[in-house]
Amino acid sequence: MRVNCTINGKDMEADDVWEGESLLYLLRDRMGLPGSKNACEQGECGSCTVYLDGIPACACLVAAGQVEGREIRTVEGLADGDKLDPMQEAFVECGAVQCGFCTPGLVVQAHDLIERVPDPSDAEIRESLAGNLCRCTGYEKILDAVRLAATRKAEAK
Amino acid sequence: MEFLRPQTWGDALAAKADDVDVVPIQGGTDVMVEMNFDLHRPGALLDLNPITELTEWEQLPDGTLRVGAGVPYVRIIAELGDTLPGIAQASRTVGSPQIRNRGTVGGNLGGASPAGDLHAPLLAAGATVEVESAEGGVRMIPATEFYLGVKRNSCRPDELIRAFHVAPAAGPQYFSKIGTRNAMVIAVCSFSIALFPQEGRVGTGLGSAAPTPRRAYDAENYLAAELEWDGALDPRVSEEFGRLVSAAASPIDDVRGTADYRKHALSVMARRTLGWAWRDLTAARKVA
């Protein structure tokens, strides 16, 4: 089947999409957007988190056919050209990255959190990131990054 | 395999009637796991997302809430937290934010897993499931008759789940579950209580404690008879309520917990949720 959707602001089209295919496969293997990572394929790890019509979702749990006519924003779509999004910048500065595999999903999920909750408490950060697994960092630097991005965003206003 | 995108509820029912090997998909949080792991290859996926009426809820003229099967958990929490507290509490414990953004009560009902988080509060609150088929029309199935066995519900092959109906909470409602960790985990067991002080009635629901979600009728009847609705909560009544809830369970030993542990945990959760509900009731009495 054919699937038409908007990805990171561009109209995209894919042909010969298998009916049981996930949005994650569509993004990585058809659209050349490998930012969203393929790890568990069961919604447990959050590595494939993307915005679907502005709401974070695990791309592995969305059927490709379900995004017909809809809008997707991936981690590649957060930066403005070469200028990183403040959340991406904060992850770099705080060293919230080790192997990096969980990073794209965490960045998208954390990006959404501070959009909705400009000054999140630690409990709110932890709850919001409860569906994103990281096996390297111990999460402390990730929490630092979210706090830093939230502070910068507030200052920028 | 086919991918069907009906634009109306009528078209969706027609597609389901046409072929029994059609699997409806809304949030995809269960269906896609089966697809990704090659556990199930249906003849067709029936995408219900275009049917926007499934994502709406309304209050019927008699006051009952009718909640579309496609309303995601995140909206139940935000929009129905005050009127359906037990159901909203259970929704808050489902998976992760990403899962709650997409997953729906309709999917929980369709999957009919004994561990589905919403079954216990639906049973406790006395919900009814609205299903429909092109030929048979609408059927209203009380939650107590909905669950038939492990992952089996009483929908006929040509039926789709349309909504659930439930009265706004008439008293305190609580949901509690035990997991091996706080997030992203299937319940070891769960329990839900609903008090109906005006009617002097109690509702319960047990999850992950038997082949199907179920109510603890003896516990409900005992509690309704023994509670002094205008007085204090007798710890002995609480204790016996917990024992009767535990006695209503027929759990299994599995990787998540032993049957003995589940029975013990249920008695503790029953006692605690009753305590929380009673505290609310007492507070409401003081205000009034």
Side-chain angles (χ1 to χ4, degrees):
Chain A
M1 66 176 166
R2 172 177 291 184
V3 174
N4 291 285
C5 58
T6 306
I7 302 176
N8 297 332
K10 280 189 218 134
D11 290 337
M12 304 290 263
E13 183 182 288
D15 271 319
D16 301 319
V17 174
W18 177 56
E19 287 71 13
E21 201 167 297
S22 68
L23 169 60
L24 180 60
Y25 188 92
L26 183 85
L27 291 171
R28 291 177 56 85
D29 293 81
R30 294 185 189 277
M31 302 299 182
L33 291 168
S36 318
K37 295 290 175 270
N38 182 359
C40 74
E41 288 191 285
Q42 51 183 323
E44 289 271 348
C45 75
S47 302
C48 65
T49 304
V50 298
Y51 281 110
L52 172 55
D53 285 346
I55 296 169
C58 294
C60 72
L61 298 184
V62 178
Q66 290 187 295
V67 303
E68 176 69 30
R70 301 177 70 176
E71 208 170 295
I72 295 130
R73 193 176 178 199
T74 70
V75 71
E76 289 98 338
L78 295 186
D80 179 12
D82 285 342
K83 195 179 171 329
L84 293 182
D85 178 84
M87 187 58 76
Q88 294 171 313
E89 236 165 29
F91 265 66
V92 174
E93 278 181 43
C94 294
V97 175
Q98 284 188 31
C99 90
F101 206 81
C102 67
T103 311
L106 275 162
V107 168
V108 174
Q109 183 65 18
H111 182 273
D112 172 68
L113 171 67
I114 66 166
E115 287 288 309
R116 288 181 297 108
V117 187
D119 183 22
S121 67
D122 280 8
E124 283 170 320
I125 299 174
R126 285 179 184 278
E127 183 172 18
S128 148
L129 302 183
N132 292 74
L133 295 186
C134 171
R135 301 290 80 155
C136 310
T137 66
Y139 299 99
E140 288 302 327
K141 292 182 175 180
I142 294 170
L143 295 177
D144 289 344
V146 179
R147 290 186 205 111
L148 177 65
T151 310
R152 287 219 180 123
K153 200 171 171 224
E155 283 168 358
K157 272 190 180 164
Chain B
M1 203 170 147
E2 277 187 277
F3 194 89
L4 307 171
R5 287 183 266 229
Q7 296 301 308
T8 66
W9 179 241
D11 289 349
L13 292 178
K16 190 78 172 98
D18 219 29
D19 182 359
V20 293
D21 197 19
V22 164
V23 170
I25 178 168
Q26 181 84 33
T29 54
D30 280 337
V31 173
M32 285 307 289
V33 175
E34 300 214 319
M35 299 292 305
N36 291 342
F37 285 84
D38 206 359
L39 299 175
H40 185 45
R41 286 278 179 272
L45 289 179
L46 180 68
D47 182 19
L48 298 176
N49 277 225
I51 304 160
T52 50
E53 68 205 69
L54 287 175
T55 62
E56 290 162 6
W57 61 266
E58 61 183 324
Q59 190 151 29
L60 301 175
D62 71 351
T64 308
L65 290 161
R66 175 173 183 260
V67 183
V71 178
Y73 296 119
V74 68
R75 285 188 44 218
I76 292 197
I77 298 162
E79 297 166 31
L80 294 165
D82 293 337
T83 39
L84 303 176
I87 286 166
Q89 281 168 32
S91 300
R92 280 193 98 244
T93 76
V94 174
S96 63
Q98 290 95 319
I99 304 286
R100 296 193 287 273
N101 284 345
R102 300 270 306 155
T104 64
V105 180
N108 221 225
L109 287 165
S113 158
D117 288 315
L118 271 293
H119 308 315
L122 288 169
L123 283 165
T128 304
V129 185
E130 178 186 337
V131 303
E132 190 172 353
S133 67
E135 196 161 312
V138 173
R139 264 199 321 142
M140 299 295 288
I141 310 171
T144 45
E145 292 164 26
F146 187 76
Y147 310 103
L148 296 184
V150 176
K151 299 190 177 180
R152 282 195 308 119
N153 63 35
S154 47
C155 287
R156 294 183 194 132
D158 61 343
E159 283 176 331
L160 291 173
I161 299 168
R162 171 72 187 82
F164 68 90
H165 293 230
V166 65
Q173 297 183 347
Y174 276 96
F175 172 79
S176 176
K177 90 178 183 190
I178 307 257
T180 44
R181 64 190 185 100
N182 267 342
M184 287 302 303
V185 79
I186 301 169
V188 175
C189 54
S190 67
F191 179 75
S192 195
I193 192 169
L195 298 184
F196 303 86
Q198 256 106 40
E199 302 168 59
R201 194 161 62 78
V202 176
T204 60
L206 279 62
S208 290
T212 64
R214 60 166 67 156
R215 279 168 63 178
Y217 291 107
D218 288 347
E220 291 177 10
N221 294 336
Y222 166 80
L223 193 56
E226 293 299 319
L227 279 179
E228 288 177 50
W229 291 90
D230 297 321
L233 178 61
D234 183 341
R236 278 173 308 182
V237 169
S238 251
E239 198 75 33
E240 179 62 7
F241 175 62
R243 201 191 63 75
L244 288 169
V245 164
S246 165
S250 37
I252 54 168
D253 291 317
D254 71 5
V255 288
R256 296 201 302 278
T258 62
D260 280 349
Y261 174 75
R262 286 186 160 103
K263 292 197 87 143
H264 172 70
L266 281 164
S267 73
V268 174
M269 286 191 291
R271 216 169 55 220
R272 285 190 189 157
T273 51
L274 172 59
W276 299 334
W278 203 260
R279 182 198 60 200
D280 289 1
L281 206 58
T282 313
R285 230 171 14 228
K286 277 185 190 142
V287 173

